[in-house]
Amino acid sequence: MDADIQDKIKNIDSDEIFKDLLKTIEVYNPGMDRDLLTKAYQASKQYHKNQTRKSGEPFVVHPLEVAKILAGIELDQTSIVAALLHDVVEDTDYSLEEIKKQFGTTIANIINGVTKLDKLVFNTREEQQVSNIRKMIIAMSQDVRIILVKLADRLHNMRTLYPMDKEKRKAISRETLEIYAPIAHRLGIYHVKSELEDLSFIYLHPKEYEKIKQMIKERLKEGASLVDETIKIVQEKLKEVNIPADISGRVKSYYSIYNKITVQNRKFEDIYDINAIRILVDDVKSCYAVLGIIHSLWKPVPGRFKDFIANPKFNMYQSLHTTVIGLKGKPMEIQIRTFEMHKVAEYGIASHFGYKEGSKKLSEFDKRVAWIRQILDWQKELKDPQEYMESLKLDLFEEEVFVFTPKGRVINLPRGATPIDFAYVIHTDIGHNAIGAKINGSMVPIESVLENGDIVQIIVSRSPKGPSRDWLNVVKTSRARNKIRQWFSKEQRQETYNVGREIMLKLLRKNGLSFKSVSTDIFEEVAGDMNFDSSENLFRSLGSHKVSAHQILTKVVKKLNQSEEKPEMTVEDIYRKAEEKKEGTGIKVKGMDQVLTTIARCCNPVPGDEIIGYITRGKGISVHRKDCTNINTLMGSDKQRFIEVGWDKKAPSKFNAEIQIEALDRTKLLRDITNVIGEYDLNILRANTFSTDKSGHIKFRFLIEINNKYILKDLINNIRQVDSVYDAFRILPGK
């Protein structure tokens, strides 16, 4: 830090800054509550005592400068008190409850809103950035003054960014340029917007900034005398016709010129409005009178006249812009507006804030904040962060064209908009069913680009057709883009629902059921059990393969069994059921009843396997798979002990089966495998993990209870679909 800045910091007197603040406020608000403002300043000074900023200046200077910025745009007293106290809750032990008691709920709420925004950290993760922007939009909807204080806070931080390291300065400047400057633009606060842009420009593109600065300096040297002479001629002419006016020169911001050169691909010498003349008059009638006089003095440049009085910009900016071939044949831009329009142009939403409670300016204020409500509506509709960012950037950044309906209604659209965009502004159904368009009475392709002043008529299909996916490549408005995406999203939801129903129908038929035999109530109950709000959403998830059809079927069958009326049981029935439960194994022995049977552990046969019985000594009949290695050994010694057995399909018994899974190890692999097993409502009796080598290969073995071979086969097939699993199989005898 150089010596001049250090000396300046040492000599800072916060009391003098506060006196200057009061003088500024008194000019536009002579009825200010001086005691309240002094109370807020003293509280800020007390709680920030001994705190300094990175530059070394007393911390209290920052809230004072933020308050001065707000006073500079003539904001109300409530906002200025909130600005003086905006950092105390976060940086000191002054609580929000104390502020509420001493300064009121409104001021406390603004400070709370700003404090929450101060905690936001913009980073490279899009989801986080979108979340933060959404919080800003919500804050604006609650009280626009929260964002006005935040913009002033950001502006002073940008003015004092020099102590930060290079990378930090760049990161803050990029965030300012991408988010805060466009919001200031959207709120119509040109004074704040242009300074935020130029300060960001300095840190992001220092070489380009210096080059533009030098080019403007040279242009102003050449044009200064022309501007002065032009002003003199206009003043004399207006005096002759008795129109009072305030005439001054205006220089375009550095970043705005840089943007025209880089984004619009314009040459510096072709930018006519670098230095312009601004004429302020008393009323609208005088604006048009002055325009006529200007055009009588100098020839207007075709296509360079814009009437923003009849067609205000989205942020309620109003002015007449014309470019004429002026003195010495040099182009000169001239802006004509009323004093009230100029106040709106410079201060934006702040110029209307004092009227919020009255009726005089209520409609204008509502128009100015209507876009905030629109963004909140998008927030509810758009779940995808990337789509939300697209919508936000479209709404914040685009310049406008003005077109008309056949009945003369003015429609504001972004530059480059098409008849498709126009159709969706009129009505969503008109957009969905648009098949053609007329511009100024002539048929044109529906993707044509609209120009200022076009009269647009949409040709609509008599039978509903829906939009084309190709339209997403040409539309410019976020409204049209979102409505088209919603239409296709709805269509896709119907498709996945149909696929899900078809999958379920096939599985039901395979098990002797149908949708007629399973009531809608049962599917609704199953959907609730699986945390879906409806059976429709359950089938959509099934159609997009997010849930297993077998999992649904298992729950459906259980519900069906529970709903069946069961006959009253006798004592004998109860005894028999108990015996079956105690002794039943699901095996039938040919020609014999009530025989003790056991499943051989060496091969663990399951229903569907080919089996054979072996009469043991004292342990009944041991049931083996026919391809069991032990059977081959026993066959050679004593064939007479083998007996024919089969599966009892009516018995509810479960059997053990062992499966092996081989995979490349990764995070959450075991969870994903057990989730698949869980979908079949199967019990895992044993689980083992084997790491085969250092290359990341891994094996799992599971012993599970299962009631037939076919479910086992389906289970293994589904396990093979798990990411990074390259094989799954049942452990066969001898393995």
Side-chain angles (χ1 to χ4, degrees):
M1 196 183 299
D2 59 45
D4 290 341
I5 294 175
Q6 286 180 330
D7 289 341
K8 190 177 178 181
I9 288 170
K10 285 179 184 176
N11 295 322
I12 286 176
D13 185 343
S14 63
D15 290 344
E16 288 300 316
I17 297 173
F18 179 65
K19 287 177 185 176
D20 289 341
L21 173 65
L22 291 178
K23 287 177 186 175
T24 304
I25 299 169
E26 199 166 23
V27 171
Y28 69 90
N29 183 12
M32 66 177 178
D33 188 340
R34 187 181 290 266
D35 291 339
L36 180 66
L37 289 162
T38 303
K39 181 181 175 183
Y41 164 59
Q42 292 298 341
S44 183
K45 185 178 179 181
Q46 176 190 339
Y47 281 96
H48 287 305
K49 188 180 179 182
N50 300 325
Q51 290 181 349
T52 57
R53 304 189 79 210
K54 198 153 189 170
S55 61
E57 68 185 7
F59 193 93
V60 72
V61 171
H62 171 64
L64 279 167
E65 292 294 340
V66 171
K68 278 180 70 177
I69 290 168
L70 296 180
I73 59 175
E74 300 186 3
L75 207 55
D76 65 334
Q77 182 174 276
T78 298
S79 303
I80 291 170
V81 171
L84 289 169
L85 298 167
H86 79 273
D87 274 328
V88 291
V89 173
E90 189 174 5
D91 295 334
T92 75
D93 56 3
Y94 196 14
S95 73
L96 201 63
E97 285 302 315
E98 289 179 84
I99 291 173
K100 196 177 288 186
K101 287 177 186 174
Q102 295 181 33
F103 295 96
T105 302
T106 303
I107 289 171
N109 288 342
I110 295 172
I111 293 167
N112 187 39
V114 175
T115 302
K116 286 178 180 176
L117 293 180
D118 283 339
K119 292 176 181 176
L120 303 182
V121 178
F122 289 82
N123 51 45
T124 56
R125 286 170 51 213
E126 194 168 46
E127 291 86 350
Q128 184 64 41
Q129 189 181 38
V130 169
S131 173
N132 294 337
I133 294 171
R134 281 177 169 163
K135 289 176 185 175
M136 293 181 73
I137 300 300
I138 291 169
M140 276 195 276
S141 71
Q142 291 168 348
D143 193 326
V144 180
R145 289 174 291 190
I146 293 172
I147 290 299
L148 296 177
V149 174
K150 184 61 188 171
L151 285 171
D153 173 64
R154 176 52 62 108
L155 178 55
H156 185 248
N157 283 335
M158 289 300 298
R159 287 175 179 175
T160 56
L161 200 56
Y162 54 86
M164 299 284 187
D165 63 70
K166 186 178 178 181
E167 288 307 311
K168 188 75 172 174
R169 289 199 300 261
K170 279 191 171 184
I172 293 172
S173 297
R174 191 173 297 109
E175 176 186 295
T176 300
L177 200 57
E178 289 179 355
I179 303 300
Y180 289 95
I183 286 177
H185 174 57
R186 231 344 179 147
L187 296 175
I189 315 172
Y190 178 81
H191 164 70
V192 172
K193 172 244 183 189
S194 58
E195 190 176 352
L196 286 172
E197 286 179 339
D198 281 352
L199 289 169
S200 301
F201 185 28
I202 291 170
Y203 294 112
L204 289 173
H205 306 288
K207 291 180 182 177
E208 291 86 342
Y209 173 80
E210 289 299 328
K211 179 68 176 173
I212 296 285
K213 184 178 178 183
Q214 185 61 34
M215 290 164 76
I216 290 174
K217 190 176 179 182
E218 290 171 7
R219 172 76 76 88
L220 292 178
K221 269 184 189 177
E222 296 171 7
S225 59
L226 289 178
V227 170
D228 291 342
E229 197 173 338
T230 302
I231 289 174
K232 189 176 179 182
I233 292 170
V234 174
Q235 281 176 331
E236 289 174 358
K237 197 70 178 174
L238 294 183
K239 196 175 286 185
E240 287 177 19
V241 294
N242 199 28
I243 297 178
D246 184 349
I247 309 174
S248 60
R250 175 203 64 85
V251 180
K252 202 167 184 67
S253 72
Y254 296 163
Y255 181 73
S256 180
I257 294 167
Y258 171 74
N259 223 22
K260 285 196 172 186
I261 293 170
T262 56
V263 177
Q264 298 180 20
N265 201 25
R266 304 221 349 232
K267 292 180 181 178
F268 181 76
E269 54 268 24
D270 294 336
I271 301 173
Y272 302 139
D273 57 346
I274 287 176
N275 51 355
I277 292 172
R278 183 175 289 145
I279 304 172
L280 305 182
V281 293
D282 290 328
D283 50 42
V284 172
K285 182 176 70 174
S286 299
C287 289
Y288 289 99
V290 170
L291 178 68
I293 291 167
I294 296 296
H295 285 178
S296 70
L297 290 170
W298 298 287
K299 186 177 181 180
V301 176
R304 294 285 301 171
F305 170 65
K306 295 175 183 175
D307 187 345
F308 294 119
I309 293 178
N311 300 306
K313 286 189 177 184
F314 55 79
N315 55 16
M316 302 307 292
Y317 172 90
Q318 289 182 289
S319 185
L320 297 176
H321 291 192
T322 186
T323 301
V324 297
I325 303 300
L327 300 173
K328 297 182 180 180
K330 297 287 185 182
M332 176 74 69
E333 182 176 271
I334 297 174
Q335 299 176 355
I336 308 163
R337 63 182 72 142
T338 67
F339 288 98
E340 178 66 22
M341 290 173 190
H342 182 62
K343 185 178 178 182
V344 172
E346 293 295 304
Y347 302 162
I349 199 169
S351 67
H352 290 291
F353 213 90
Y355 300 105
K356 186 179 178 185
E357 300 303 327
S359 58
K360 184 178 177 183
K361 296 285 184 177
L362 185 60
S363 61
E364 291 182 33
F365 184 89
D366 284 345
K367 285 179 186 176
R368 192 178 289 274
V369 297
W371 69 280
I372 299 173
R373 300 188 190 101
Q374 186 181 46
I375 291 175
L376 282 172
D377 290 340
W378 293 340
Q379 177 180 314
K380 295 170 188 172
E381 294 175 5
L382 298 179
K383 305 301 180 186
D384 184 274
Q386 191 172 355
E387 288 183 22
Y388 186 78
M389 280 297 292
E390 283 178 20
S391 296
L392 189 72
K393 286 179 179 178
L394 277 171
D395 194 65
L396 290 180
F397 288 84
E398 293 292 345
E399 293 186 6
E400 289 186 316
V401 294
F402 302 94
V403 295
F404 299 88
T405 68
K407 292 184 177 180
R409 176 185 163 196
V410 181
I411 304 293
N412 298 15
L413 292 167
R415 189 168 298 282
T418 67
I420 303 169
D421 297 289
F422 176 92
Y424 278 102
V425 170
I426 302 302
H427 196 279
T428 300
D429 288 340
I430 291 175
H432 284 343
N433 298 301
I435 56 173
K438 285 184 178 181
I439 295 181
N440 304 322
S442 301
M443 287 295 296
V444 297
I446 202 167
E447 301 88 2
S448 303
V449 174
L450 299 175
E451 300 291 341
N452 268 320
D454 283 343
I455 300 172
V456 186
Q457 182 181 353
I458 301 299
I459 312 299
V460 179
S461 171
R462 290 183 179 179
S463 55
K465 57 178 280 293
S468 165
R469 284 189 186 274
D470 294 337
W471 291 359
L472 290 170
N473 298 323
V474 297
V475 294
K476 292 291 287 182
T477 59
S478 49
R479 175 183 173 82
R481 191 178 302 277
N482 295 335
K483 293 299 180 184
I484 293 167
R485 282 176 173 161
Q486 284 171 24
W487 193 92
F488 281 108
S489 176
K490 186 177 180 180
E491 186 183 58
Q492 188 176 8
R493 286 200 303 272
Q494 186 61 45
E495 285 177 7
T496 54
Y497 170 76
N498 293 340
V499 170
R501 272 188 65 91
E502 187 62 28
I503 292 170
M504 197 69 240
L505 178 59
K506 286 179 180 178
L507 193 59
L508 287 171
R509 284 175 177 169
K510 192 175 178 181
N511 289 272
L513 297 168
S514 68
F515 279 117
K516 286 184 179 179
S517 59
V518 182
S519 71
T520 305
D521 290 343
I522 285 181
F523 279 114
E524 290 294 336
E525 287 177 22
V526 170
D529 292 345
M530 297 177 71
N531 296 319
F532 290 96
D533 56 8
S534 68
S535 59
E536 284 187 13
N537 285 335
L538 175 65
F539 288 135
R540 284 193 195 102
S541 290
L542 176 57
S544 55
H545 306 290
K546 292 177 182 176
V547 297
S548 161
H550 289 286
Q551 185 181 10
I552 298 171
L553 180 65
T554 301
K555 293 182 180 296
V556 165
V557 171
K558 279 185 179 179
K559 300 262 181 209
L560 285 172
N561 290 337
Q562 288 169 7
S563 64
E564 287 180 1
E565 289 187 14
K566 295 176 182 175
E568 190 174 337
M569 293 177 68
T570 65
V571 175
E572 289 78 8
D573 290 332
I574 295 170
Y575 177 77
R576 180 173 52 77
K577 287 283 182 185
E579 289 299 314
E580 284 176 0
K581 189 174 180 182
K582 180 179 172 184
E583 297 181 5
T585 59
I587 302 294
K588 283 184 175 181
V589 181
K590 188 176 181 181
M592 301 175 71
D593 292 323
Q594 301 297 323
V595 179
L596 176 63
T597 58
T598 57
I599 300 298
R601 291 187 179 181
C602 57
C603 57
N604 279 332
V606 297
D609 289 339
E610 292 187 14
I611 54 176
I612 191 168
Y614 177 74
I615 302 170
T616 64
R617 298 180 188 277
K619 293 185 179 179
I621 296 172
S622 175
V623 180
H624 295 255
R625 287 170 54 105
K626 280 190 176 179
D627 58 357
C628 177
T629 53
N630 288 339
I631 289 296
N632 293 329
T633 305
L634 292 169
M635 279 279 191
S637 60
D638 195 351
K639 290 183 180 180
Q640 293 180 350
R641 302 185 95 179
F642 286 94
I643 189 169
E644 191 176 335
V645 294
W647 297 106
D648 184 357
K649 294 180 181 178
K650 294 181 180 179
S653 302
K654 290 188 177 181
F655 304 87
N656 298 343
E658 191 167 18
I659 58 174
Q660 180 163 307
I661 301 156
E662 298 177 359
L664 293 171
D665 197 13
R666 64 170 173 83
T667 306
K668 298 179 182 177
L669 173 60
L670 181 59
R671 182 205 65 181
D672 293 345
I673 292 170
T674 53
N675 281 348
V676 173
I677 297 171
E679 286 177 359
Y680 290 82
D681 278 350
L682 300 177
N683 187 26
I684 300 173
L685 301 174
R686 187 176 67 242
N688 297 98
T689 306
F690 307 92
S691 182
T692 57
D693 52 42
K694 293 181 180 178
S695 62
H697 293 270
I698 193 166
K699 290 181 181 178
F700 299 99
R701 280 197 179 184
F702 293 96
L703 183 64
I704 57 177
E705 280 187 338
I706 202 158
N707 55 18
N708 71 68
K709 177 182 178 179
Y710 307 104
I711 287 181
L712 181 62
K713 184 180 178 182
D714 196 53
L715 169 66
I716 288 172
N717 285 337
N718 277 334
I719 289 174
R720 285 176 181 156
Q721 305 307 312
V722 174
D723 187 33
S724 85
V725 171
Y726 57 81
D727 202 3
F729 50 87
R730 180 180 173 191
I731 301 293
L732 298 174
K735 292 285 182 180

